[in-house]
Amino acid sequence: MTGWTADLFCTAFNSRQLPEPLLPEVAITGRSNVGKSTLINLLLNRTNKKIAHVSSKPGKTRSLNFYRITPGSSEASFVIVDLPGYGYAARASDERREWFALVDDYFGAGRNIPFVMHLIDFRHGPLDADGELIKWLDAMDMPRLVVFTKGDKAPKGRARNMYEKYMRDGLASISPPLITAGRNDAEVERLRGVILRIISEPGL
Ligand SMILES: Nc1nc2c(ncn2[C@@H]2O[C@H](COP(=O)(O)OP(=O)(O)O)[C@@H](O)[C@H]2O)c(=O)[nH]1
Ligand SMILES: [Mg+2]
């Protein structure tokens, strides 16, 4: 069991509401409904008493949510930022503009963002919207850690082939992507270790 504790210390709907950047911030991004809030709850052991709001309706979160994480006595604190979901097809183009305005402001503010965690639905692999995100993050030279979600919904026995195909097709990640399954299992514990390791690597 991890000793990570967390508190939601800021919710920002616009750039004026962004908190002072005092700690490294790991931003979590991905398509609406991919499982960002679910993974945050898992990382923080909040499966019963949830801290991040999980919704079955895509595109609910329009704010940036900042969680201050205290991983344990020997590790430095950092922040996890839950970004609004990206690129859900039903969204109007002015909402896309709104998304870019808010998230561009966040990334462009000179904050300490060691890497972005890019969540991808394991069943589908990277879709068009993920390709757009990758291009946009690459253009900012932002390191990306890919994490697959919904591994439990993939066809049984095909996971290895699917994983290898995604990687062969050129999906890049600063550490090999883990496959999460909506539960607090060994992969989530591994992910905690990967996050702490990357944050502690200077000059990534
Ligand atoms: N089976 C399964 N369902 C998941 C997983 N991750 C998220 N979900 C479900 O997918 C829906 C959207 O999740 P949410 O965390 O709100 O996505 P967000 O919009 O990216 O924050 C919810 O109904 C979750 O319960 C997973 O790994 N496995
Ligand atoms: Mg969410």
Side-chain angles (χ1 to χ4, degrees), residues 7-21:
D7 72 294
L8 173 65
F9 70 96
C10 177
T11 294
F13 292 90
N14 58 57
S15 52
R16 292 183 310 281
Q17 296 173 341
L18 293 174
E20 233 191 297

Side-chain angles (χ1 to χ4, degrees), residues 120-194:
I120 295 178
D121 189 323
F122 186 67
R123 293 170 297 178
H124 312 304
L127 300 175
D128 288 350
D130 294 297
E132 279 181 78
L133 268 176
I134 290 168
K135 254 201 228 155
W136 179 68
L137 291 167
D138 282 356
M140 293 188 292
D141 278 330
M142 182 58 70
R144 281 182 306 109
L145 174 69
V146 172
V147 178
F148 289 117
T149 61
K150 311 201 182 186
D152 54 312
K153 290 188 163 183
K156 298 268 173 291
R158 286 202 47 222
R160 179 189 284 266
N161 280 345
M162 291 165 71
Y163 187 95
E164 281 171 1
K165 178 170 192 315
Y166 298 148
M167 304 318 287
R168 225 180 18 247
D169 288 349
L171 186 61
S173 174
I174 52 176
S175 180
L178 296 169
I179 307 174
T180 62
R183 55 176 183 259
N184 200 345
D185 57 10
E187 288 293 274
V188 172
E189 183 58 27
R190 265 183 219 117
L191 180 57
R192 292 188 191 100
V194 170

Side-chain angles (χ1 to χ4, degrees), residues 4 26 28 39 43 69 71 75 78-80 114-115 117 145 147 175 178 188-201:
W4 285 23
V26 175
I28 301 195
L39 187 65
L43 286 169
I69 314 297
E75 306 278 356
F78 66 99
V79 171
I80 284 181
F115 66 101
M117 232 156 73
L145 174 69
V147 178
S175 180
L178 296 169
V188 172
E189 183 58 27
R190 265 183 219 117
L191 180 57
R192 292 188 191 100
V194 170
I195 292 170
L196 292 179
R197 176 170 58 73
I198 300 173
I199 291 175
S200 67
E201 279 171 7

Side-chain angles (χ1 to χ4, degrees), residues 18-88:
L18 293 174
E20 233 191 297
L22 299 174
L23 294 169
E25 294 173 350
V26 175
I28 301 195
T29 191
R31 297 169 67 243
S32 297
N33 224 38
V34 71
K36 294 178 293 297
S37 300
T38 299
L39 187 65
I40 289 172
N41 286 318
L42 288 173
L43 286 169
L44 305 179
N45 271 322
R46 297 296 188 106
T47 35
N48 298 321
K49 189 164 169 283
K50 291 185 173 53
I51 185 165
H53 182 70
V54 174
S55 172
S56 54
K57 286 210 190 91
K60 276 285 170 213
T61 322
R62 301 275 159 74
S63 54
L64 281 72
N65 294 295
F66 292 76
Y67 301 89
R68 187 185 294 105
I69 314 297
T70 310
S73 49
S74 60
E75 306 278 356
S77 296
F78 66 99
V79 171
I80 284 181
V81 185
D82 189 4
L83 298 180
Y86 177 75
Y88 188 65

